[in-house]
Amino acid sequence: MKRALLSVSDKTGIVEFAIGLKEAGFEIVSTGGTKKTLAENGIEVVGIEEVTNFPEIMDGRVKTLHPNVHGGLLAKRNDDAHLAQLAEHQIQPIDLVCVNLYPFQHTIAKPDVTPEEAIENIDIGGPTMLRSAAKNHEFVTVVVDPADYDSVLAGLSETGQVSGQKKRQLAAKVFRHTAAYDAVISEYMTQLAEEENPESVTLTYNLKQSLRYGENPHQRASFYQKPLGSTFSVAYGNQLHGKELSYNNINDADAALLIVRDFEQPAAVAVKHMNPCGVGVGETLAEAFKKAYEADSTSIFGGIIALNRQVDLETATMLKNIFLEIIIAPSFTKDALDVLTAKKNIRLLTVDFDGELKYERKTTSIQGGLLMQDLDTHGFEQATITIPTKREPSEKEWDALKLGWKVVKHVKSNAIVVSGEQMTYGIGAGQMNRVGAANIALAQAGEKATGAALASDAFFPMDDTVEAAAKAGITAIIQPGGSVRDEDSIKKADEYGIAMVFTGVRHFKH
C-alpha cells in the first residue's frame, strides 16, 4: 500500500483530499491537529509516533525529524542500495507528502505580536519534509498548496499516478514556497537584530496580476505584491471600475501617490510618465483639482490623477470632462461613482490613505544586480534652512517655496519647479543640465512666473539658472546650496532682489 503523510496548518480541503487519497489506495499518516481533524471525520489515520516509534516531544517541536520519516522520503526507488537500507531498518517508503507551514506571516502581522510568539511560529519540521520530498520528486509527490489537491487526485483517478511533469511542477512550487517563507523570516529577524546592511538579502513577492505587457507591447510583465507591505500603496489598492491596470499605469499611480501623501490640505496631483505635470491645493478638492488642471491642461490629457480626499460630485463632474487613465482617491461618493463609471474605460482606484506606511527600502534592478536605498521622505520640516541673500521671502513667497520644494523632490533630475502658493506653474524634468530644466519650467509658466517661486532639486553649479529665473520674473528661489560657486548665485540673486533659501538637502531622482 502506498503511504501519504499529511501535516497541515491550513485545514482547507484536507478532509476531502484525504478521502480521495484513501480511495486511491493510500494509507494516511498524520500528526497533531491534522490527525485529530481527519479522525473526527471518520478517516483512519496512522499517528506519526507509530512511524517513528518515538513520541512527539517539546510541545510538538520535535515529531517528524526522524530517519523513519526522512528515510522514507529520500530513498531512491531505483537504487538497490537504498531499497536494501529501507528493508534493513524497517522503513516504509512515503509516496506523497502534503504539508503547509506554521503561519509565521500571519503571526507577525498582528500588531501586538511579541518576538517570542513570532519565533515560536517558525516551522522547522514542515520545511524539512517539504524539501526532502521535493528533492526526491521523481518518486515522491509533494503538495504545499490546497489549490493543487484536485489536480493531484484527478491524476491518481485517471492513471493511478501523478505524472512526472506534474511532480516536477509541484516540487518547484515547494522550493518557491519555502524560499518565500524563509525570506519573510529573514526580513523579520534582520529587523529584530537591527542590522542595516546584511551580507545578503532575499526578497519575496506574491503574484498579484499578470499584465498584458510591460512598458511596450513586446515586453512581458507581471505585478507582484510584497507580503505585509505598506497598505497605503497601489499594490494594496482596490480597483472599482475600468480596464485592468497596465505596467505604465502602475508605475505612474505609484508616483502620484508618493506625491499626494506629502500634502495635508486637499490636494490633486496629475502625473505623466512618472513625473508630475500639475499639482494643486485648495480649500476643497474641487478647487485643488481645478488648479492642478490649470497648471498644465495639455499634459494632463491621458494622465493619472491622485486625490487625497473623498471624490464628491463637483470634483467628479470636472474629472469626467477630461480623458484620464486612472483616478486614485481614498473613496468616492455614490454620486461621484455614478458620474465617473459612465466612462467605460477609466480606472477608478481606492487606496487606504490611513493605512500603514511601513519602512521599505526602494529597490532598482540593474543588469546582474540590485540597488537598494531608503525612500526619500525628507521634507521641508527636516531641512536646515539658511537665507544667504539680502532679502528674505515674504509670507506668500514662503508658501510658494514650500509647495515647490514638496513637488521638486518627485520630479526626475535635473528638476526645476515654478510654483505659486497653491499650484505649480511649470515643471522641467529629466534634463541633462539645470538651466535647460529651468528654461522648460519657465517657458511653461509664462506670465505666471512673475512673482512666483522656483525650486531646484540640486544646487546651481553656476549663476545662469538664477539669471534665467530673474528675467522671467521669479522673486524667490529654494535650492540645496553647497556648490563651490554658491557665491555667484547669491550675488546674482541680490542683483535682482531675489530671496534665496538654502535647505542643505539634495533631492536627486533618477
Side-chain angles (χ1 to χ4, degrees):
M1 181 179 287
K2 292 181 178 181
R3 174 172 275 185
L5 195 162
L6 311 184
S7 180
V8 294
S9 292
D10 178 3
K11 305 297 192 294
T12 303
I14 194 63
V15 171
E16 293 77 10
F17 188 50
I19 291 171
L21 292 174
K22 277 287 193 181
E23 292 174 350
F26 280 80
E27 176 186 52
I28 306 294
V29 176
S30 194
T31 65
T34 307
K35 176 186 172 185
K36 182 173 183 291
T37 297
L38 298 178
E40 288 174 349
N41 283 272
I43 300 170
E44 186 179 350
V45 184
V46 176
I48 194 70
E49 65 278 1
E50 298 176 59
V51 174
T52 62
N53 296 313
F54 201 91
E56 295 185 18
I57 61 173
M58 302 176 186
D59 300 318
R61 279 188 166 201
V62 180
K63 54 193 172 192
T64 60
L65 299 170
H66 193 282
N68 284 0
V69 174
H70 290 279
L73 291 174
L74 286 164
K76 295 181 180 180
R77 314 302 160 83
N78 60 356
D79 187 313
D80 290 340
H82 283 204
L83 296 177
Q85 289 174 60
L86 288 179
E88 178 186 354
H89 297 289
Q90 298 182 334
I91 298 173
Q92 183 173 335
I94 298 172
D95 305 285
L96 183 146
V97 170
C98 177
V99 171
N100 53 56
L101 308 176
Y102 292 170
F104 181 81
Q105 182 177 314
H106 176 75
T107 300
I108 63 172
K110 296 188 294 187
D112 57 348
V113 66
T114 64
E116 293 74 20
E117 184 182 2
I119 290 168
E120 196 59 37
N121 276 275
I122 297 175
D123 204 329
I124 302 301
T128 307
M129 286 190 290
L130 286 172
R131 289 173 60 83
S132 293
K135 176 176 180 177
N136 204 30
H137 66 270
E138 182 180 355
F139 307 104
V140 181
T141 301
V142 57
V143 186
V144 74
D145 185 352
D148 293 314
Y149 291 170
D150 288 346
S151 61
V152 169
L153 291 178
L156 292 171
S157 176
E158 292 168 9
T159 65
Q161 61 184 358
V162 180
S163 71
Q165 176 65 10
K166 182 65 176 178
K167 287 180 179 179
R168 190 170 297 112
Q169 291 171 348
L170 292 170
K173 178 180 279 193
V174 161
F175 285 118
R176 293 194 300 270
H177 184 79
T178 56
Y181 188 79
D182 283 342
V184 174
I185 295 170
S186 170
E187 182 176 12
Y188 175 82
M189 294 297 292
T190 299
Q191 291 174 359
L192 197 63
E194 298 181 347
E195 293 191 48
E196 292 187 359
N197 291 295
E199 74 290 344
S200 64
V201 61
T202 304
L203 306 177
T204 186
Y205 295 85
N206 299 322
L207 181 65
K208 179 180 175 72
Q209 181 181 340
S210 295
L211 303 175
R212 287 173 295 159
Y213 53 83
E215 284 183 297
N216 299 291
H218 60 273
Q219 295 171 269
R220 292 178 297 176
S222 305
F223 184 20
Y224 287 81
Q225 182 186 67
K226 180 178 173 59
L228 302 180
S230 294
T231 53
F232 176 75
S233 66
V234 180
Y236 282 85
N238 179 33
Q239 186 170 347
L240 305 180
H241 178 74
K243 297 187 297 183
E244 91 176 19
L245 296 174
S246 71
Y247 181 96
N248 292 331
N249 289 157
I250 294 164
N251 263 327
D252 286 342
D254 180 63
L257 273 180
L258 290 176
I259 302 170
V260 82
R261 74 171 182 180
D262 281 348
F263 291 89
E264 294 180 1
Q265 68 269 56
V269 173
V271 164
K272 285 286 287 291
H273 303 296
M274 296 183 67
N275 278 306
C277 58
V279 177
V281 298
E283 294 297 320
T284 66
L285 193 65
E287 182 184 342
F289 174 71
K290 185 173 184 292
K291 288 183 169 63
Y293 172 75
E294 291 173 350
D296 189 345
S297 59
T298 300
S299 297
I300 200 173
F301 184 84
I304 311 292
I305 302 295
L307 307 154
N308 64 355
R309 296 290 192 277
Q310 182 182 59
V311 178
D312 56 17
L313 179 60
E314 182 183 4
T315 309
T317 302
M318 289 191 287
L319 290 164
K320 182 186 177 183
N321 294 327
I322 309 165
F323 168 59
L324 299 170
E325 291 280 357
I326 305 177
I327 301 170
I328 312 167
S331 60
F332 298 78
T333 66
K334 183 181 183 303
D335 288 343
L337 278 177
D338 289 343
V339 167
L340 292 171
T341 54
K343 302 185 75 169
K344 180 181 178 181
N345 292 327
I346 192 170
R347 302 158 176 93
L348 304 179
L349 192 71
T350 59
V351 169
D352 184 5
F353 275 64
D354 295 323
E356 186 177 6
L357 187 62
K358 297 183 178 179
Y359 171 75
E360 293 180 16
R361 303 197 81 190
K362 179 177 175 59
T363 59
T364 303
S365 63
I366 62 168
Q367 200 70 17
L370 185 76
L371 292 169
M372 298 185 72
Q373 66 171 348
D374 295 335
L375 287 175
D376 185 359
T377 58
H378 199 291
F380 189 83
E381 296 73 16
Q382 293 84 41
T384 303
I385 299 296
T386 58
I387 303 171
T389 52
K390 294 176 182 177
R391 190 173 77 80
E392 295 189 3
S394 68
E395 185 177 343
K396 288 185 177 181
E397 286 172 335
W398 271 119
D399 289 340
L401 290 168
K402 289 176 181 178
L403 188 144
W405 190 243
K406 283 182 178 180
V407 175
V408 79
K409 177 175 72 173
H410 300 282
V411 180
K412 293 292 184 70
S413 300
N414 287 323
I416 296 290
V417 171
V418 176
S419 62
E421 301 163 68
Q422 293 190 312
M423 63 185 287
T424 56
Y425 297 143
I427 297 174
Q431 298 306 299
M432 284 63 72
N433 64 76
R434 193 152 302 281
V435 73
N439 287 335
I440 292 172
L442 292 166
Q444 185 185 23
E447 293 180 358
K448 293 178 181 178
T450 301
L454 181 146
S456 174
D457 65 323
F459 62 60
F460 300 143
M462 53 191 69
D463 64 6
D464 51 1
T465 301
V466 180
E467 177 83 30
K471 289 181 177 179
I474 295 294
T475 59
I477 292 174
I478 188 168
Q479 56 128 324
S483 169
V484 295
R485 298 183 63 178
D486 271 348
E487 195 58 36
D488 292 349
S489 295
I490 295 167
K491 287 180 179 178
K492 186 63 68 174
D494 283 337
E495 179 184 330
Y496 286 100
I498 292 174
M500 185 182 290
V501 175
F502 284 177
T503 66
V505 178
R506 187 183 72 189
H507 284 308
F508 272 169
K509 188 173 188 286
H510 290 93

